[in-house]
Amino acid sequence: MAANAMTSLHCGVPSLNLQQKRHLVPTKLFHHSMTRKNDLRTQNQMQKRGVNVVRSQISLGDFIGGDLLKLDLGTWLSDVEEHKALAIYTPHEGGYEGRYLNRLRYQGYHFLDVSARGLGDVEATLTKVHPVCPPHVGKQPIARWWFPPEVDYRLEALPADAKGLIVWVIEAKVLSKSELQFLALLPSLRPNVRVIAECGNWRKFMWKPLKEIAGLAPLQEP
């Protein structure tokens, strides 16, 4: 008894037994429920007054993970086969396009990754024998080397069981309209080639036919 009295005096707060603590729990729950009801009543009053109330929308992706839930992969594969040249728009943080790339790889496609910056003449680089001038650093004479066409060289090196070649163009937003038109027509020149061009960024991964972006086909209204 003396020890309990000394403990309560030392702490400055009288100690509570288990039965007294149980009476505090319903009070907290009741206070939380009343606060919840007051918040809902306030939101309803604001909506009646014409004030916009923003509510968070919870979807299945919030529980599984937005990067793991890709229900449009089937549509992605069918659009690649149908249009053969797509313009994609990826999120700024990057990484989402890897799942779509891997799905094409699982189908048997091989990839030719090129960057639009410094590509030069797109038609000559991909389909013709083209010159390349290495840096001479101010001492060596200016030389010119000749390289085979990138697409034809990769097509000849494809294995027999390959489904085709995907030309994945990074930073295609810097290309001109005529260069995008050539990329859109490249599958018609090389039937085993598919073109994926990164033409910009968006909040989520989306794609459109490259012919629409290049102005070769009328825009389809949703």
Side-chain angles (χ1 to χ4, degrees):
M1 294 294 293
N4 293 336
M6 291 298 294
T7 303
S8 61
L9 291 175
H10 178 72
C11 296
V13 179
S15 61
L16 300 176
N17 53 21
L18 181 60
Q19 185 176 4
Q20 291 176 342
K21 290 181 179 179
R22 288 177 178 174
H23 290 291
L24 296 178
V25 177
T27 305
K28 293 181 179 180
L29 294 177
F30 177 76
H31 177 71
H32 178 72
S33 61
M34 291 299 296
T35 305
R36 179 75 173 177
K37 291 180 180 179
N38 293 334
D39 294 340
L40 294 176
R41 189 181 298 108
T42 304
Q43 291 180 1
N44 294 333
Q45 292 177 357
M46 293 177 65
Q47 288 180 351
K48 291 180 181 180
R49 295 175 183 176
V51 180
N52 295 329
V53 179
V54 180
R55 297 181 179 179
S56 60
Q57 300 293 336
I58 300 177
S59 60
L60 186 60
D62 297 326
F63 298 95
I64 300 178
D67 57 338
L68 299 177
L69 190 64
K70 299 298 180 185
L71 301 178
D72 55 352
L73 287 175
T75 308
W76 162 257
L77 295 176
S78 62
D79 287 347
V80 170
E81 295 296 334
E82 179 182 358
H83 301 288
K84 301 181 180 180
L86 296 179
I88 64 174
Y89 299 85
T90 60
H92 290 273
E93 59 270 17
Y96 290 90
E97 61 273 16
R99 296 189 177 275
Y100 298 88
L101 185 147
N102 289 333
R103 184 54 63 95
L104 293 173
R105 180 175 291 142
Y106 296 155
Q107 297 296 321
Y109 283 103
H110 288 245
F111 286 84
L112 170 60
D113 298 331
V114 295
S115 177
R117 297 185 183 273
L119 187 60
D121 190 347
V122 179
E123 181 180 0
T125 303
L126 298 180
T127 60
K128 297 179 181 179
V129 177
H130 56 281
V132 175
C133 295
H136 55 83
V137 200
K139 296 182 180 180
Q140 293 84 1
I142 298 177
R144 177 176 293 181
W145 297 347
W146 296 87
F147 283 78
E150 295 290 342
V151 171
D152 296 338
Y153 177 77
R154 296 299 182 96
L155 287 175
E156 294 177 358
L158 286 179
D161 58 345
K163 191 173 182 179
L165 179 66
I166 298 253
V167 179
W168 196 288
V169 185
I170 305 172
E171 296 181 337
K173 58 185 177 182
V174 302
L175 297 178
S176 63
K177 190 173 182 180
S178 61
E179 292 172 336
L180 291 176
Q181 290 177 354
F182 172 77
L183 291 176
L185 297 176
L186 182 59
S188 60
L189 301 176
R190 303 292 188 271
N192 292 333
V193 173
R194 304 290 182 265
V195 177
I196 307 295
E198 297 183 8
C199 293
N201 300 101
W202 194 244
R203 298 186 184 95
K204 63 178 182 179
F205 187 89
M206 61 175 297
W207 63 87
K208 291 183 178 181
L210 189 56
K211 289 184 178 181
E212 294 185 4
I213 304 301
L216 295 178
L219 294 177
Q220 297 179 0
E221 297 182 357

